[in-house]
Amino acid sequence: MTLVLRTTDHQVEPTPVLPAAPAGSDPLLQLQYETQPPRGPGAMRCLSHPPELALRGIPVLCSACRARRDWLLINHGRNVWVRCRCGNQWLEPEISRADFDAMIAIPDGTTYPSVGQGLVALGFDGVFAGIYLE
């Protein structure tokens, strides 16, 4: 499953080329390559934000289920999306990449093979719609 992020601009960016695995049969180099956190223009980072989120003093509400807290913030490039437990997601221009970086307490977290698997593991795939987890 690939997460498709909807934006209002229609600029198409080239697909980033991921670095190739190190050549050779050295298992230590292979392990070092596999355990590096994703980087570069194609990397996506997610941050769980359980409390209420207020932008310019206005509380954020999900337009689908009216939830007021328990968000997943997704950063890709300079854009940040907000995702609700019900699966509703939207681009939030009020949150910049600098704001997202300031919210991250632990720089290295869990890495998932795909965005879809990460959404399922974190409970933001719509299964927990209407439930606050704490």
Side-chain angles (χ1 to χ4, degrees):
M1 177 178 155
T2 302
L3 178 65
V4 178
L5 303 175
R6 294 182 224 158
T7 62
T8 55
D9 56 26
H10 297 289
Q11 298 173 350
V12 177
E13 296 180 17
T15 305
V17 177
L18 299 175
S25 60
D26 186 355
L28 291 176
L29 287 176
Q30 185 66 27
L31 179 65
Q32 181 182 7
Y33 170 77
E34 291 173 357
T35 58
Q36 290 179 349
R39 296 170 195 241
M44 295 185 76
R45 301 179 301 161
C46 297
L47 173 67
S48 179
H49 189 77
E52 289 188 8
L53 184 62
L55 302 174
R56 295 189 182 188
I58 301 170
V60 174
L61 294 175
C62 175
S63 61
C65 71
R66 310 304 289 168
R68 294 179 156 254
R69 58 186 176 101
D70 207 9
W71 309 109
L72 181 69
L73 304 178
I74 303 169
N75 170 238
H76 182 253
R78 64 181 129 158
N79 298 317
V80 177
W81 285 265
V82 177
R83 186 169 179 99
C84 180
R85 290 252 181 226
C86 73
N88 187 28
Q89 174 178 312
W90 64 92
L91 175 64
E92 186 51 70
E94 294 292 324
I95 304 174
S96 68
R97 181 176 177 160
D99 297 332
F100 184 89
D101 290 340
M103 287 189 252
I104 295 179
I106 302 171
D108 295 325
T110 305
T111 302
Y112 298 98
S114 71
V115 174
Q117 290 175 355
L119 293 176
V120 170
L122 297 170
F124 284 91
D125 59 341
V127 173
F128 296 112
I131 299 173
Y132 288 125
L133 301 178
E134 280 192 60

